[in-house]
Amino acid sequence: MIFDILETGFAGITWGAVMMIVIGAVLLYLGIAKKMEPLLLVPIGFGIIISNMPLAGLMDTVVDGELFHYYVTGGEPVGFFARLFSAGLESELIPIFIFLGLGAMTDFGPIIANPKTLLLGAGAQFGVYFAFFLALVLGFNIYEAACIGIIGGADGPTTIFLTNRLAPTFIGATAVAAYTYMALVPIIQPPIIKLCTTKKERQIYMKPQLREVARKEKIIFPVLAAIIIILLVPDSAPLIGMFMLGNLLRESGVTDRLADTASNAMMNILTICLGLCVGAFMSAENFLRVDSLLVFCIGIIAFAAATAGGVFLAKLMNLFVKEKINPMIGAAGVSAVPMSARVVQKMGQEENPKNFLLMQAMGPNIAGVIGTATAAGIFLGMLQ
Amino acid sequence: MNVDWGQAFQVGGFGFLLVILVLTTLAVCMWLIGWFFNKSTSLKSLFKREKKNQPSVNTENKPKEEPEYNPEFKIDNIHRYE
């Protein structure tokens, strides 16, 4: 018989694989129909579906001569996605180069014009450390707890970078949690902001116009920031170094071609590879575990705590500053750029139509990226 | 699972403080640079203004030359030379 059912994928299908295919389909639905982070959720969702196809062997890994149909850290990658995962994520190339692209896409103008908003980025890191302790209490070891905590920063590449170093088996769960919560910023943040502020506080007016930032200041910032942060936290060098290099390419004015490639073509290629790798890692064996579900639960608590931490720090700062700041901009201290700043802008307009908080919220938002990358570097330095 | 809480508090507490320290240092440095740039810009503009006020440089304050005799000159135009 030419066609034998036993030679098709139907013969090898398992309930776990079916579950993962359904999860992949849900992510595709969220990305395409609901337009939630489509650039990431579409490749992740599709990656999950095809890597869970039985007998396709896309994530096959050989460990001590034995073939596994899912990725095993430290094994020899055989399948196409396994090789891509090993070369791109396990080697940390993709998350680090994504930081180069992010730097080339970021305008540091708002934090240079109003440096005190950098502190709001620190407030949001409260969520990272809150979730770190919560994960420890729930029985995770200290390495896993650090990786779960960093989800609170809502920074996908940083989460992947740290998890790959400290708890590689969690990479699928933490990455998907981080990206899912980034996509759900407009749903998660508003109720928390409302819970932490009064109507009067949400109506505080802030001048939309920040001072004009000189070009020289914009060039000095990435160089100075890289020197200061790497001197204080040497382990953050790969992320912070590339982030600041990307920004220098943008602001120097003499490397427009490089900045353009880093922020467009390179970023797009990396995003496809990253999405596929994360999705492909999510085999039933690696993902359908109780601790993965716990990672999702603690992740959302981390994100909520980070939002609240930023808001409360803004309220604290209001006790000392002459010109009051709208505490909602503290919520943008999580590094989901620019979704978080957009949420603050929208809420600010609803509460007080005269308020244009976008530029004011971009400061803490960018500070959040720097803060989360620094926190990851600190975890690495202290735990590796 | 046994947790070494001493190490955990060291990582969590010290780590959080270090993040705050890094961002505060950066904020102070940027504020100083911004202050320096503002100062130098305002000094430059002050210097320019002073240069303008110097009679040798300022062309606007030069004494106006007497108009030459013009037979078509009308008395209505006299305010132009005041």
Side-chain angles (χ1 to χ4, degrees), chain A residues 108-190:
Chain A
F108 282 129
I111 39 174
I112 301 173
N114 192 4
K116 63 174 177 275
T117 55
L118 264 163
L119 299 176
L120 295 173
Q125 301 312 311
F126 170 75
V128 171
Y129 291 95
F130 178 78
F132 167 71
F133 283 112
L134 185 63
L136 285 173
V137 170
L138 289 174
F140 288 94
N141 67 36
I142 199 161
Y143 304 103
E144 294 160 354
C147 301
I148 297 168
I150 211 78
I151 297 172
D155 191 332
T158 307
T159 306
I160 292 170
F161 176 77
L162 187 70
T163 312
N164 188 45
R165 289 268 188 109
L166 296 182
T169 51
F170 277 77
I171 202 161
T174 53
V176 172
Y179 280 115
T180 311
Y181 296 141
M182 273 166 73
L184 297 177
V185 161
I187 296 165
I188 300 172
Q189 282 202 315

Side-chain angles (χ1 to χ4, degrees), chain A residues 162 165-166 233-236 374-384:
Chain A
L162 187 70
R165 289 268 188 109
L166 296 182
V233 188
D235 285 288
S236 66
T374 309
I378 294 168
F379 276 133
L380 277 179
M382 298 181 91
L383 293 175
Q384 242 188 352

Side-chain angles (χ1 to χ4, degrees), chain A residues 7-69:
Chain A
E7 285 175 11
T8 68
F10 288 106
I13 207 143
T14 60
W15 280 112
V18 173
M19 276 286 286
M20 291 313 297
I21 291 167
V22 171
I23 291 173
V26 170
L27 293 185
L28 279 182
Y29 170 77
L30 289 176
I32 297 168
K34 298 286 174 189
K35 292 192 172 56
M36 286 182 175
E37 289 284 318
L39 298 181
L40 283 161
L41 290 191
V42 170
I44 289 178
F46 198 75
I48 294 174
I49 292 174
I50 55 171
S51 69
N52 279 286
M53 289 290 164
L55 307 182
L58 287 168
M59 283 299 264
D60 283 2
T61 318
V62 174
V63 184
D64 296 331
E66 194 182 342
L67 182 71
F68 290 85
H69 295 300

Side-chain angles (χ1 to χ4, degrees), chain A residues 115 119 207 221 245 296 302 315 324 339:
Chain A
L119 299 176
K207 284 181 199 158
F221 181 82
L245 170 64
F296 268 83
K315 286 167 89 160
K324 298 279 179 232
M339 291 86 80

Side-chain angles (χ1 to χ4, degrees), chain A residues 206-236:
Chain A
M206 289 181 84
K207 284 181 199 158
Q209 202 64 35
L210 297 166
R211 80 169 171 85
E212 208 172 296
V213 177
R215 184 171 159 249
K216 279 179 192 165
E217 282 179 273
K218 285 191 172 182
I219 293 173
I220 290 172
F221 181 82
V223 181
L224 185 79
I227 292 171
I228 291 174
I229 299 172
I230 296 170
L231 276 177
L232 286 168
V233 188
D235 285 288
S236 66

Side-chain angles (χ1 to χ4, degrees), chain A residues 15-370:
Chain A
W15 280 112
V18 173
M19 276 286 286
M20 291 313 297
I21 291 167
V22 171
I23 291 173
V26 170
L27 293 185
L28 279 182
Y29 170 77
L30 289 176
I32 297 168
K34 298 286 174 189
K35 292 192 172 56
M36 286 182 175
E37 289 284 318
L39 298 181
L40 283 161
L41 290 191
V42 170
I44 289 178
F46 198 75
I48 294 174
I49 292 174
I50 55 171
S51 69
N52 279 286
M53 289 290 164
L55 307 182
L58 287 168
M59 283 299 264
D60 283 2
T61 318
V62 174
V63 184
D64 296 331
E66 194 182 342
L67 182 71
F68 290 85
H69 295 300
Y70 55 92
Y71 195 82
V72 182
T73 310
E76 189 198 332
V78 178
F80 169 67
F81 280 173
R83 277 183 276 153
L84 187 66
F85 187 90
S86 171
L89 279 196
E90 212 170 17
S91 67
E92 295 165 3
L93 283 177
I94 293 178
I96 289 173
F97 274 107
I98 280 187
F99 257 70
L100 180 79
L102 284 178
M105 292 165 85
T106 305
D107 177 12
F108 282 129
I111 39 174
I112 301 173
N114 192 4
K116 63 174 177 275
T117 55
L118 264 163
L119 299 176
L120 295 173
Q125 301 312 311
F126 170 75
V128 171
Y129 291 95
F130 178 78
F132 167 71
F133 283 112
L134 185 63
L136 285 173
V137 170
L138 289 174
F140 288 94
N141 67 36
I142 199 161
Y143 304 103
E144 294 160 354
C147 301
I148 297 168
I150 211 78
I151 297 172
D155 191 332
T158 307
T159 306
I160 292 170
F161 176 77
L162 187 70
T163 312
N164 188 45
R165 289 268 188 109
L166 296 182
T169 51
F170 277 77
I171 202 161
T174 53
V176 172
Y179 280 115
T180 311
Y181 296 141
M182 273 166 73
L184 297 177
V185 161
I187 296 165
I188 300 172
Q189 282 202 315
I192 297 163
I193 295 173
K194 282 191 177 168
L195 200 68
C196 301
T197 52
T198 62
K199 194 166 177 64
K200 203 178 166 191
E201 284 171 331
R202 294 195 294 274
Q203 286 175 334
I204 292 176
Y205 176 76
M206 289 181 84
K207 284 181 199 158
Q209 202 64 35
L210 297 166
R211 80 169 171 85
E212 208 172 296
V213 177
R215 184 171 159 249
K216 279 179 192 165
E217 282 179 273
K218 285 191 172 182
I219 293 173
I220 290 172
F221 181 82
V223 181
L224 185 79
I227 292 171
I228 291 174
I229 299 172
I230 296 170
L231 276 177
L232 286 168
V233 188
D235 285 288
S236 66
L239 294 177
I240 293 292
M242 293 305 262
F243 188 51
M244 296 303 168
L245 170 64
N247 190 255
L248 186 62
L249 294 178
R250 171 198 164 101
E251 300 297 351
S252 66
V254 290
T255 51
D256 289 347
R257 272 172 50 202
L258 302 187
D260 178 53
T261 304
S263 57
N264 293 303
M266 191 192 80
M267 198 66 174
N268 291 341
I269 293 168
L270 291 175
T271 306
I272 294 170
C273 294
L274 177 86
L276 278 176
C277 285
V278 171
F281 188 81
M282 291 172 67
S283 61
E285 291 84 354
N286 275 329
F287 191 76
L288 289 181
R289 302 185 317 211
V290 178
D291 46 11
S292 294
L293 294 174
L294 263 178
V295 167
F296 268 83
C297 295
I298 304 171
I300 197 163
I301 294 170
F303 193 58
T307 304
V311 172
F312 282 116
L313 187 67
K315 286 167 89 160
L316 184 70
M317 279 168 74
N318 269 346
L319 299 176
F320 304 100
V321 293
K322 256 193 236 167
E323 247 180 71
K324 298 279 179 232
I325 52 176
N326 191 314
M328 286 198 295
I329 69 166
V334 295
S335 56
V337 181
M339 291 86 80
S340 202
R342 274 195 211 133
V343 166
V344 173
Q345 154 75 6
K346 196 171 164 241
M347 286 185 76
Q349 283 260 291
E350 282 167 7
E351 299 288 346
N352 179 357
K354 283 183 195 164
N355 246 344
F356 288 92
L357 297 174
L358 187 67
M359 287 316 282
Q360 302 282 0
M362 278 309 283
N365 216 182
I366 298 161
V369 179
I370 299 173

